[in-house]
Amino acid sequence: MTKRKKVAVIGGGVSGLAAAKAFDEKGHIVCGFERSHDFGGVWELSRSYPDVQTQSPKDLYCYTDHPMPDDYPEWPNGPQVHTYLHSYADKHKTARLFRLNTTIKAMERRADGEAGWTLTIEAGSHEWTENFDFVSICTGQFSEKNIITHPGQDDFVARGGSVMHSSEYTDPSLCKGKDIVVLGGSKSATDIAVNAVKNGARSVRLVYLENVWRVPYFVGGINFKRLLYMRAQEQQFNQWGKSPLQRVIAAVFTPLVWVNFRGLETLLKMQLKLKKHGMVPTTPIEKEISCSVPIVTPGFIECLDAGTIMPVMGTFDSYGSDGLKLTNGETVPCDVAILAVGWRLGVPYLPQEYQEKLIEDDGQYRVYRLSVNPDLPDMGFVGFNSSFCTVLAAEMVANWLVRFADGQLKNQPSDAAMNKNIDMMLNWKRNERPAAKVYGGLCSAPFHFKHFDELLADMGAAKKKRSNPLAEQFSYPNAEAYGTFLATTPQYQVQ
């Protein structure tokens, strides 16, 4: 008999909603905490910049039992995703489990000798401590803004200039008639650059460090989900944990794989006019594909063609009275600097002694199945397994985590087995696939199928693949199908 636990779920975004549902439906006492005034995480409206939309098609960005509405476009916008997440919370009545406007300030191992953690919690002017048997951290990878500054910034702002993180760009009217400089090369950077052009900016410059491969929504007229999300395509990348036979097979097919990716590069160079705009990457695409590969913002190439967005390789050096100086020696006019420089990974409320067990010296995270660390008992992460189908990935690992917490995995790992696997994965990321080190190594892309296969095997699923072998091999992950796979895992309820 599995004992009912009091479980803290930290974060009310995509991952927190999945974790709250998973623990609640097993019978645990769930207490959710969300620091903002609303659910949604990065999709909460006050954190969303104008024109934001998903990088993934809607049928790849949904929970297993809750498809996005038929009338949503293929790539839903921010308000639509926010509404969708609320509808999921309503469907499963998870809102009752959460306290909004509530922040976790600290966590310590319980002093009463029981398993679990004591959280220090703050809501308004009230602060208190509370014991929990298990903690599910669901703040993902986009919780803390990466704030950077450059010399002369204070004087620049005092003269009337503006500097903001990309998540703070919520009023496009500030662009009208202004010289805008966007720092970064991600999708958020190009989204904002295009939006600034549309809203009457006098000039827009995109300043970025290096050329990277970008993927358009349609590659040669074909929706990229039908080309890049297949198990067959995934198997062409250098996966972890290959057996000697798999390595031999991979070596035999290396020439064909090489031809496949060179063909894709050629197509992208032509379609996106990369050579014309001096944006051809130097790294082979198969070595670069990961969670950091941006989707091409609609209108971005057209703006490059028209000269309304000027790309500049480099970064910020300093602000001066004559403009913004860049590291390439160029000084450009700037009224508004928008820093699309991403987010800081971390769990700031976790004690330093546990931070050191979780994070290696080079920033890589020691997590088994991208969810738990054997030296951090009675806790786990949902949403650390970033991917191109983030919602499904969060739901899958949430279902895995509740079983891990309850000792109900078919393949319940020992601490030694977890550490051995973690060491193998770290070696693979550092030496065989450096692109996998992105976001502290917390990225399952492009290996969605392999990651899900492992989670389902651990859970003891009787079915892990679709009945149609062609669909399984040559189609993208199907959320509804994964719901049926989860239903074949051993079921239980806590008492």
Side-chain angles (χ1 to χ4, degrees):
M1 182 181 298
T2 304
K3 180 182 176 182
R4 176 178 286 109
K5 298 178 179 65
K6 184 180 177 183
V7 179
V9 172
I10 304 175
V14 165
S15 303
L17 293 175
K21 172 182 177 289
F23 279 92
D24 181 59
E25 67 183 7
K26 292 301 182 192
H28 292 293
I29 303 166
V30 176
C31 302
F33 302 99
E34 167 53 47
R35 68 182 179 183
S36 77
H37 67 282
D38 195 5
F39 297 115
V42 295
W43 299 106
E44 195 275 305
L45 298 182
S46 67
R47 293 181 61 187
S48 298
Y49 55 82
D51 294 341
V52 64
Q53 62 186 56
T54 62
Q55 293 214 81
S56 299
K58 65 179 181 181
D59 48 357
L60 278 164
Y61 204 84
C62 64
Y63 297 103
T64 59
D65 65 343
H66 194 59
M68 285 199 175
D70 291 338
D71 61 351
Y72 272 23
E74 180 76 336
W75 288 273
N77 62 36
Q80 288 171 324
V81 177
H82 182 250
T83 299
Y84 167 78
L85 294 176
H86 265 269
S87 69
Y88 180 78
D90 291 343
K91 178 176 182 176
H92 295 293
K93 298 179 173 58
T94 52
R96 64 186 166 81
L97 306 173
F98 279 86
R99 289 189 59 141
L100 303 179
N101 296 306
T102 304
T103 303
I104 305 303
K105 305 295 291 184
M107 60 187 297
E108 298 285 348
R109 292 295 284 166
R110 289 173 61 161
D112 59 7
E114 297 293 322
W117 297 82
T118 299
L119 301 188
T120 301
I121 307 165
E122 180 183 76
S125 60
H126 181 45
E127 183 174 296
W128 72 99
T129 60
E130 194 168 341
N131 290 330
F132 293 91
D133 303 310
F134 193 87
V135 177
S136 177
I137 297 175
C138 308
T139 48
Q141 301 180 16
F142 306 103
S143 178
E144 303 294 329
K145 299 173 189 174
N146 183 26
I147 302 297
I148 61 174
T149 59
H150 298 90
Q153 183 169 313
D154 290 343
D155 290 340
F156 170 73
V157 173
R159 292 192 299 269
S162 297
V163 181
M164 66 187 69
H165 187 269
S166 55
S167 65
E168 299 166 339
Y169 176 75
T170 56
D171 180 11
S173 66
L174 62 84
C175 293
K176 189 172 179 61
K178 301 289 183 65
D179 293 309
I180 310 298
V181 183
V182 182
L183 178 63
S186 64
K187 183 176 182 292
S188 62
T190 57
D191 282 352
I192 291 171
V194 171
N195 184 268
V197 170
K198 289 163 58 177
N199 283 279
R202 180 165 51 211
S203 69
V204 179
R205 286 174 173 81
L206 183 73
V207 179
Y208 61 97
L209 282 174
E210 61 181 349
N211 290 319
V212 298
W213 290 105
R214 303 173 187 275
V215 179
Y217 286 130
F218 292 90
V219 180
I222 302 173
N223 190 319
F224 72 82
K225 70 183 180 183
R226 302 190 182 281
L227 295 175
L228 303 179
Y229 283 1
M230 302 181 297
R231 188 183 285 269
Q233 184 81 333
E234 175 180 311
Q235 291 167 342
Q236 296 182 50
F237 295 100
N238 53 329
Q239 299 181 358
W240 66 84
K242 285 183 178 177
S243 68
L245 177 59
Q246 287 174 321
R247 291 183 181 277
V248 169
I249 293 172
V252 169
F253 284 97
T254 294
L256 292 178
V257 171
W258 185 91
V259 169
N260 172 58
F261 285 118
R262 298 295 77 74
L264 177 59
E265 287 180 356
T266 299
L267 182 57
L268 292 176
K269 289 176 188 177
M270 294 173 57
Q271 182 173 336
L272 304 180
K273 305 176 185 178
L274 298 181
K275 188 173 182 179
K276 173 184 176 181
H277 298 297
M279 300 182 78
V280 178
T282 56
T283 305
I285 192 170
E286 66 270 27
K287 293 185 177 181
E288 193 171 290
I289 292 291
S290 72
C291 293
S292 62
V293 171
I295 301 300
V296 178
T297 300
F300 177 60
I301 304 303
E302 291 79 0
C303 286
L304 293 177
D305 286 341
T308 51
I309 293 178
M310 293 166 276
V312 183
M313 286 190 69
T315 188
F316 291 9
D317 178 83
S318 59
Y319 297 89
S321 58
D322 56 344
L324 175 59
K325 185 178 180 181
L326 306 178
T327 52
N328 65 0
E330 183 180 359
T331 297
V332 300
C334 179
D335 298 310
V336 181
I338 302 170
L339 311 180
V341 291
W343 304 80
R344 288 188 293 109
L345 271 171
V347 188
Y349 38 83
L350 187 67
Q352 183 61 34
E353 63 178 298
Y354 291 101
Q355 298 259 11
E356 293 172 359
K357 297 176 186 295
L358 177 64
I359 308 169
E360 299 261 302
D361 290 341
D362 63 352
Q364 294 296 291
Y365 278 63
R366 293 189 62 84
V367 277
Y368 178 75
R369 299 292 191 250
L370 298 176
S371 184
V372 296
N373 178 297
D375 295 320
L376 277 65
D378 312 312
M379 67 175 291
F381 302 91
V382 175
F384 264 14
N385 58 338
S386 184
S387 76
F388 298 147
C389 44
T390 300
V391 179
L392 175 59
E395 184 178 0
M396 292 292 291
V397 85
N399 278 275
W400 182 94
L401 181 61
V402 66
R403 289 167 172 79
F404 173 87
D406 291 338
Q408 292 291 322
L409 290 175
K410 179 182 179 182
N411 301 323
Q412 191 77 21
S414 65
D415 288 359
M418 285 191 280
N419 276 315
K420 181 178 179 180
N421 181 271
I422 289 170
D423 289 338
M424 179 274 292
M425 292 294 291
L426 287 173
N427 178 69
W428 170 75
K429 293 169 186 176
R430 288 167 175 152
N431 300 310
E432 295 187 45
R433 187 169 175 77
K437 294 194 295 182
V438 68
Y439 302 154
L442 304 176
C443 173
S444 61
F447 304 105
H448 309 92
F449 288 103
K450 185 172 178 64
H451 178 49
F452 296 159
D453 287 350
E454 290 183 337
L455 296 177
L456 287 169
D458 287 350
M459 288 186 272
K463 187 174 183 181
K464 299 185 286 292
K465 295 182 180 180
R466 284 166 281 195
S467 300
N468 184 333
L470 290 178
E472 182 62 28
Q473 193 71 4
F474 297 103
S475 187
Y476 48 86
N478 180 280
E480 183 179 3
Y482 276 99
T484 65
F485 303 160
L486 286 171
T488 69
T489 61
Q491 301 299 308
Y492 68 95
Q493 282 286 303
V494 299
Q495 301 294 326

